[in-house]
């Protein structure tokens, strides 16, 4: 689900109050994806500032396009290695 930065901030505050996990990803300035309900297994990818995956967004749709995220390997990944990428949120942002 594509949401605004304000909606993302409101949801983060709610997750902190209820001590629940967040699945938010900043796609671009002012646009976030919340994968809590509509996300795929990709929501379980780990964060790392120098992750082994790259994320790329494409915008799909007409008047109100939605981001479609894809992931590709930045380097060879060995069996058993955690898959990770940079979440694009600055530390302390939320």
């Amino acid at each position: 689900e594509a949401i605004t930065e304000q909606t993302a901030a409101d949801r983060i505050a709610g997750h902190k109050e209820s001590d629940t996990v967040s699945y938010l990803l900043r796609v671009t300035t002012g646009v976030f994806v919340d994968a809590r309900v509509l996300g795929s297994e990709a929501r379980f990818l780990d964060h790392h500032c120098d992750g082994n995956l790259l994320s790329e967004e494409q915008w799909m749709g007409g008047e109100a396009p939605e981001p479609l995220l894809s992931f590709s390997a930045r380097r060879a990944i060995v069996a058993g290695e955690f898959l990770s990428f940079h979440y694009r949120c600055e530390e302390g942002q939320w």
Side-chain angles (χ1 to χ4, degrees), residues 10-58:
D10 293 345
R11 290 185 185 181
I12 285 291
H15 293 310
K16 286 181 179 178
E17 288 178 14
S18 63
D19 197 30
T20 56
V21 177
S22 168
Y23 294 102
L24 291 170
L25 172 67
R26 182 176 67 181
V27 177
T28 188
T29 302
V31 179
F32 287 71
V33 169
D34 186 349
R36 176 171 277 291
V37 176
L38 299 174
S40 69
E41 287 77 13
R43 69 178 172 238
F44 300 116
L45 295 173
D46 290 325
H47 172 265
H48 194 286
C49 290
D50 188 32
N52 52 22
L53 299 175
L54 292 172
S55 64
E56 181 179 356
E57 68 273 350
Q58 297 176 345

Side-chain angles (χ1 to χ4, degrees), residues 47-93:
H47 172 265
H48 194 286
C49 290
D50 188 32
N52 52 22
L53 299 175
L54 292 172
S55 64
E56 181 179 356
E57 68 273 350
Q58 297 176 345
W59 294 87
M60 309 300 282
E63 292 180 27
E66 294 274 327
L68 174 67
L69 302 174
S70 61
F71 298 89
S72 58
R74 292 180 59 209
R75 58 170 175 77
I77 300 171
V78 299
E81 182 179 357
F82 285 103
L83 300 177
S84 62
F85 70 105
H86 196 292
Y87 285 178
R88 303 180 192 167
C89 289
E90 302 301 322
E91 187 171 336
Q93 180 178 5

